[in-house]
Amino acid sequence: MSAEHAHLPPGVEVVATLPEAAGRIPAGAEARTIRVTLAPGDPGAPPHRHPGPVFGYVTEGEILFELEGQPPRVLKAGDALFEPGGDVIHYQGANNLPDAQSQLVVMMFAPPGSPVLTVVGEDELAERRHLRVTS
């Protein structure tokens, strides 16, 4: 435990921090708490983007997580995640487990009334193919 968190009571743990988070939040944004529950083997939403940054935590199972400019990775229960939102494409948020549910809880900071996600079309995916990192 770091010295800055030594004062926390028993049972309270800082899982992750995001330096300079305030600079990533759009002016006038609202905070949204979103729970995503994926059935066994669920591929999740098609490639999309979010209107603002997303900061969250896998609460159950395993999520295959892929953002534009980053290689795909598996996040397990207890792992934190961050998406900058805006122009960055979220390619995958799939349940990596074929036989169990997976779940994550995120905080999204977005302009009021904006959609939680916007699906990216095939033409744009083709135009931005060079930004996708394959492993």
Side-chain angles (χ1 to χ4, degrees), residues 2-126:
S2 69
E4 66 192 71
H5 299 140
H7 65 283
L8 295 174
V12 177
E13 174 186 8
V14 175
V15 175
T17 58
L18 180 61
E20 303 173 16
R24 299 173 184 263
I25 298 172
E30 65 184 11
R32 302 172 182 170
T33 302
I34 301 166
R35 180 177 38 233
V36 179
T37 304
L38 300 167
D42 188 333
H48 60 274
R49 56 175 48 98
H50 298 289
V54 174
F55 193 54
Y57 181 82
V58 178
T59 57
E60 180 180 351
E62 296 181 2
I63 305 292
L64 177 59
F65 187 77
E66 181 187 0
L67 293 179
E68 186 173 64
Q70 299 177 10
R73 65 190 193 270
V74 174
L75 301 173
K76 297 182 179 189
D79 290 341
L81 61 102
F82 171 74
E83 291 186 53
D87 192 42
V88 176
I89 296 174
H90 179 168
Y91 284 102
Q92 293 187 79
N95 185 346
N96 198 49
L97 301 176
D99 57 354
Q101 170 178 292
S102 291
Q103 186 176 85
L104 59 134
V105 175
V106 299
M107 290 293 298
M108 175 185 291
F109 300 92
S114 61
V116 169
L117 62 82
T118 302
V119 174
V120 177
E122 292 298 323
D123 289 344
E124 185 177 2
L125 289 172

